[in-house]
Amino acid sequence: MDIHPINIGFGNIVAANRIIAIVSPESAPIKRIITEARDRGQLIDATYGRRTRAVIITDSSHVILSAIQPETVAHRFISHKESNFNP
């Protein structure tokens, strides 16, 4: 299985095949997911002190905080999928 990197800002990379969801941090349920991940030791803060704009949830239950918009991360994810599509 190949690892396909997705840039989530500031030179930080996430394996595209491990991403389950890319969501906004605004809602109470997502804030609860972030808090629970912090308590479990599975929170990765890749914001470099900036405001969290995207929350990435992986198949290993890790939660990654990013300072770039969810739409931007999703666009990079989709662009990557399309560039590797072999009909």
Side-chain angles (χ1 to χ4, degrees), residues 27-49:
S27 71
I30 299 302
K31 289 178 182 178
R32 191 168 30 255
I33 288 171
I34 293 169
T35 301
E36 290 170 358
R38 182 177 289 118
D39 294 344
R40 288 191 318 264
Q42 291 186 311
L43 181 70
I44 301 167
D45 187 348
T47 62
Y48 281 73

Side-chain angles (χ1 to χ4, degrees), residues 4-67:
H4 303 289
I6 301 293
N7 185 337
I8 60 166
F10 305 108
N12 296 302
I13 306 294
V14 175
N17 57 335
R18 304 295 302 264
I19 295 174
I20 291 178
I22 304 165
V23 295
S24 174
E26 308 301 321
S27 71
I30 299 302
K31 289 178 182 178
R32 191 168 30 255
I33 288 171
I34 293 169
T35 301
E36 290 170 358
R38 182 177 289 118
D39 294 344
R40 288 191 318 264
Q42 291 186 311
L43 181 70
I44 301 167
D45 187 348
T47 62
Y48 281 73
R50 289 172 175 80
R51 179 174 161 234
T52 299
R53 294 190 175 164
V55 178
I56 302 165
I57 302 170
T58 67
D59 61 355
S60 62
S61 298
H62 283 83
V63 176
I64 304 165
L65 307 180
S66 174

